[in-house]
Amino acid sequence: MKKKSIIVICAVLVIFGVATVLVLTGNRGNVSNVNRVVGYSALYGENSIKEAFDVIEKKFAKDFEGCTLTELRYDEDVENRFAEEIEKYHKENNQELIVVLSIFDTDEKGGDGGFNPNDTYANWQWYLVKTADKKSWEIINWGY
C-alpha cells in the first residue's frame, strides 16, 4: 500500500511539473526563423544593428504570444525614412535612436487577441535607444 502511494505521489508531481513547464513556456512569440536584413547604415555598425535585433527578438518572444516574427530590417531605406525623427530625438534627448522595421504573422486567435487573426503585419516599427551607459539598446516604443 505504501509503495502505491509513493508511485501515485510521484506521478502527480511529474504531471504537475510538466504542466508548469507548459504554462511557463506557453505559446510565446516565435522567433525561430527570423530573416535579419542588415544593410548599409551611415549611423550604425552591423554589430550595433544586430544587437538591436537581439533585443527585439527577446521582447517579441516574451510578449507576442501566438505570433511569428518573420523579418527584421534596418538598411539605408529605413534609415532615410526615419532620418528626421532620429536626428530630432538625438537633439532633444541626447540619445541614439534606431527604428527597425519588422514583419510578423498572427495565428488563428490573433496572437493574444490584440491583433487580427491569421494576418500579416508589415512595416511594424520598433523604436530603440541606447541605454544611459551607451552599452545596449532598449525598446521605448513599437507599433505603426
Side-chain angles (χ1 to χ4, degrees):
M1 189 69 171
K2 196 174 189 182
K3 190 175 183 179
K4 284 184 181 180
S5 295
I6 292 173
I7 291 172
V8 168
I9 290 171
C10 288
V12 168
L13 289 174
V14 167
I15 291 170
F16 180 74
V18 169
T20 301
V21 168
L22 290 175
V23 167
L24 292 176
T25 58
N27 188 14
R28 307 267 186 196
N30 182 350
V31 294
S32 63
N33 197 22
V34 180
N35 179 29
R36 291 174 155 218
V37 179
V38 179
Y40 171 79
S41 169
L43 300 175
Y44 306 110
E46 184 175 344
N47 286 340
S48 186
I49 296 167
K50 287 180 177 180
E51 288 168 2
F53 287 3
D54 291 343
V55 172
I56 293 166
E57 285 184 20
K58 184 176 179 182
K59 177 70 173 172
F60 191 94
K62 181 179 176 235
D63 293 339
F64 282 68
E65 179 181 329
C67 298
T68 301
L69 185 61
T70 58
E71 182 178 278
L72 290 171
R73 174 178 296 276
Y74 190 84
D75 56 21
E76 190 173 21
D77 291 338
V78 175
E79 193 165 274
N80 290 338
R81 178 176 166 187
F82 295 98
E84 288 180 28
E85 196 170 347
I86 291 169
E87 185 178 331
K88 180 181 177 187
Y89 191 90
H90 181 71
K91 284 181 182 177
E92 291 177 359
N93 299 285
N94 197 28
Q95 281 185 300
E96 293 179 66
L97 172 72
I98 188 170
V99 182
V100 175
L101 296 183
S102 67
I103 301 172
F104 67 92
D105 299 319
T106 61
D107 64 9
E108 65 280 351
K109 295 178 186 174
D112 65 359
F115 298 107
N116 295 325
N118 297 316
D119 204 354
T120 297
Y121 287 76
N123 293 315
W124 186 266
Q125 301 162 15
W126 297 88
Y127 290 76
L128 299 91
V129 295
K130 281 286 187 171
T131 55
D133 61 9
K134 299 189 183 234
K135 291 186 179 178
S136 59
W137 291 105
E138 176 182 5
I139 297 171
I140 58 168
N141 202 359
W142 62 85
Y144 283 123

